[in-house]
Amino acid sequence: MMNWKNNKFQIAVLLLLLAILAALIALGIFSNDQSVDSVAYVNLQRIFEKHPARLAAENTLNQKAAEYQQQIESEYADAGGSEQKEIIQKHQEQLQELEAELLAGVIDELLAVIEETAAEKELKFVLEEEYILYGGYNLTESVLERIEAQW
């Protein structure tokens, strides 16, 4: 009778292991989320440098700087020493605010394109290239292609 109990236990363990194996296989086959461990990285500096919105923002900033320069020259001639400093400081602050606003717009657009590209490729994580030591998928070219297609 001892052998029968042992065999019954062995059969139960075998059936349990088969059930676990079947469940794991079913989860692998039927899972819609195949990207649980998918990690990609991008070279933000390269994407930023090639983004057409950055060039447009830079041109806008340069045009505004030229306008401010003309305003400073016309106001500067009629002003005294302390007023001259105030005029220059006022225009510098306005230029810095514009630069921050334009830069934020470019960064927002860049992040949106990265998110769209990652979602299309069913990636869960996208990191900056400089923080990757090993592995991962380089998403930089895909992001640049998407930007080029949109512009």
Side-chain angles (χ1 to χ4, degrees), residues 119-147:
E120 178 182 281
K121 297 196 177 286
E122 298 181 357
L123 299 168
K124 288 289 183 187
F125 304 100
V126 179
L127 305 170
E128 166 59 41
E129 182 178 42
E130 69 183 62
Y131 299 112
I132 300 296
L133 296 176
Y134 175 77
Y137 170 74
N138 189 344
L139 194 64
T140 304
E141 289 302 320
S142 297
V143 171
L144 288 172
E145 288 171 7
R146 182 179 284 272
I147 288 170

Side-chain angles (χ1 to χ4, degrees), residues 107-123:
I107 290 172
D108 288 346
E109 187 172 326
L110 186 131
L111 292 176
V113 172
I114 291 171
E115 287 176 19
E116 291 169 6
T117 307
E120 178 182 281
K121 297 196 177 286
E122 298 181 357
L123 299 168

Side-chain angles (χ1 to χ4, degrees), residues 39-140:
V39 177
Y41 58 90
V42 293
N43 184 323
L44 284 176
Q45 182 68 33
R46 184 167 166 231
I47 293 170
F48 181 76
E49 288 173 359
K50 291 192 173 206
H51 200 295
R54 181 197 60 87
L55 295 173
E58 192 175 291
N59 289 337
T60 300
L61 192 62
N62 289 337
Q63 289 173 352
K64 202 59 157 174
E67 289 175 25
Y68 286 159
Q69 182 66 34
Q70 290 175 349
Q71 289 175 4
I72 288 171
E73 288 173 4
S74 67
E75 294 174 19
Y76 194 82
D78 299 333
S82 63
E83 289 179 64
Q84 291 173 344
K85 289 180 184 179
E86 289 176 16
I87 292 169
I88 292 172
Q89 185 177 359
K90 178 185 84 170
H91 288 295
Q92 284 177 338
E93 288 172 0
Q94 290 174 339
L95 202 57
Q96 287 172 345
E97 288 174 13
L98 178 62
E99 181 181 28
E101 183 181 310
L102 292 171
L103 185 61
V106 173
I107 290 172
D108 288 346
E109 187 172 326
L110 186 131
L111 292 176
V113 172
I114 291 171
E115 287 176 19
E116 291 169 6
T117 307
E120 178 182 281
K121 297 196 177 286
E122 298 181 357
L123 299 168
K124 288 289 183 187
F125 304 100
V126 179
L127 305 170
E128 166 59 41
E129 182 178 42
E130 69 183 62
Y131 299 112
I132 300 296
L133 296 176
Y134 175 77
Y137 170 74
N138 189 344
L139 194 64
T140 304

